Amino acid sequence: MSTPTARKHTALPKAQTLIEALPWLTRHRGKTVVIKFGGNAMVDEELKAAFAQDVVFLHHAGLRPVVVHGGGPQISKALDRHGIVSEFKAGLRVTTEDAMDVVRMVLAGQVQRELVGLLNQHGPLAVGLTGEDAHTITATKHRPRIEGELVDIGRVGQITEIDTGAIEALLADGRIPVVSSIARSQDDGHVYNVNADTAAAALAAALDAETLMVLTDVEGLYEDWPNSDEVISRLTATELEKLLPELASGMVPKMEGCLHAVRNGVETARVIDGRVQHSILLEIFTDEGIGTMVVPDAQGES
């Protein structure tokens, strides 16, 4: 049988962890946090469960989490099953009419449902919606430029407008909105597949969020990849802008999203390693944090 002294010693680290979180809890209480769910955290069962626990913890700690998700791996699998070839141009999925039907089905009917279900294991909290709902995300056709030429990549959208009304109503009601990255069309009656990193950044700015958090499959932004695996822990918007042309294609939409967010009123944007269990809590509620934080230029100078 354990003695009171032994029990005290085993409990002490837990108490110290909670005390370390106290100033961060005070600072973030009542603030909106937009979290882009993606990468390995979307396909690994333990990481998915830990992600849901983190988001519910934020909610109960008095923050207002909003989750935005894509579903690249799940979409690719579903397209294969339907005999539709996955093709990418300029880092974006070419989305034909047939492919768009599958994308919509997977994002709203599979990925979102699973995530809402995981969150709601902890109470009647999560509500799923897509960018189509209540005109949350509006887009026009996106034509990327490849080697100087504008290229048609189908039903891929460029966000033109955000309406936060439905999300704000859910937050005010104590819910956790879970948003699929599909947009209504501004001009042709169709729907569009939009990049989830871009959607999360646009929503963070429109919601006047305190923080944008983007889960990835890397530790953060590397200082001199592939020559070094040293992670940049903090950089300003201008410093990031200078680095953008050198980044690997997969990181570009994530870091462009972070740049857009901090240039449009979001206090911090963070790229964190979604392969680490409870990485969201480690980033928000500990002194060390993990990953890379982007701050507005004025903040970086202070």
Side-chain angles (χ1 to χ4, degrees):
M1 189 171 128
S2 62
T3 65
T5 305
R7 284 200 300 274
K8 183 173 74 177
H9 286 310
T10 55
L12 193 56
K14 295 176 185 175
Q16 286 169 334
T17 301
L18 290 169
I19 293 300
E20 184 184 347
L22 184 58
W24 307 105
L25 284 164
T26 306
R27 178 184 300 180
H28 297 303
R29 188 168 183 81
K31 302 292 177 64
T32 301
V33 180
V34 175
I35 306 162
K36 157 53 189 349
F37 180 54
N40 213 47
M42 293 188 80
V43 291
D44 180 285
E45 296 304 321
E46 286 186 7
L47 290 174
K48 277 193 278 197
F51 173 82
Q53 289 172 334
D54 284 8
V55 173
V56 171
F57 185 96
L58 295 185
H59 170 81
H60 286 304
L63 286 79
R64 301 178 354 139
V66 176
V67 179
V68 180
H69 71 88
Q74 294 90 336
I75 290 168
S76 293
K77 273 188 188 173
L79 289 172
D80 284 347
R81 282 199 305 271
H82 285 79
I84 301 170
V85 176
S86 289
E87 186 186 357
F88 290 84
K89 290 182 181 176
L92 297 167
R93 186 186 299 276
V94 176
T95 309
T96 61
E97 297 288 346
D98 288 345
M100 188 65 227
D101 288 341
V102 175
V103 167
R104 200 178 190 186
M105 177 181 69
V106 170
L107 292 182
Q110 178 189 335
V111 179
Q112 183 197 91
R113 291 296 91 209
E114 183 180 19
L115 187 48
V116 166
L118 284 168
L119 291 165
N120 285 343
Q121 285 177 12
H122 305 277
L125 298 171
V127 178
L129 65 157
T130 78
E132 299 170 71
D133 295 321
H135 293 188
T136 299
I137 305 176
T138 301
T140 56
K141 190 178 181 73
H142 175 52
R143 296 177 191 270
R145 194 176 288 277
I146 301 175
E147 296 178 0
E149 296 288 319
L150 289 174
V151 179
D152 187 345
I153 54 173
R155 294 246 142 262
V156 176
Q158 185 167 327
I159 296 170
T160 56
E161 195 178 338
I162 299 284
D163 184 331
T164 60
I167 292 174
E168 292 280 10
L170 289 168
L171 291 171
D173 193 37
R175 310 295 177 182
I176 301 171
V178 178
V179 186
S180 304
S181 57
I182 306 166
R184 67 180 282 270
S185 169
Q186 179 178 295
D187 45 26
D188 64 10
H190 290 280
V191 294
Y192 284 108
N193 181 17
V194 295
N195 181 281
D197 298 312
T198 309
L203 280 167
L207 287 162
D208 199 24
E210 182 195 42
T211 298
L212 168 67
M213 304 185 81
V214 181
L215 268 66
T216 68
D217 282 342
V218 293
E219 294 173 78
L221 191 60
Y222 294 112
E223 197 150 332
D224 184 25
W225 185 259
N227 304 316
S228 162
D229 60 359
E230 195 72 30
V231 172
I232 303 169
S233 60
R234 177 187 170 104
L235 75 169
T236 65
T238 296
E239 287 168 344
L240 173 57
E241 194 169 35
K242 288 175 186 166
L243 284 178
L244 277 176
E246 303 162 24
L247 298 183
S249 60
M251 284 299 279
V252 170
K254 293 172 178 30
M255 300 316 300
E256 282 181 342
C258 289
L259 184 62
H260 173 82
V262 298
R263 288 235 161 114
N264 287 275
V266 179
E267 290 180 31
T268 63
R270 308 152 189 249
V271 173
I272 60 175
D273 191 345
R275 300 168 302 177
V276 177
Q277 280 201 17
H278 304 299
S279 55
I280 292 170
L281 299 188
L282 290 169
E283 180 62 24
I284 287 196
F285 294 129
T286 67
D287 292 335
E288 291 84 14
I290 59 172
T292 297
M293 180 192 293
V294 184
V295 297
D297 290 324
Q299 242 183 274
E301 291 157 10
S302 61

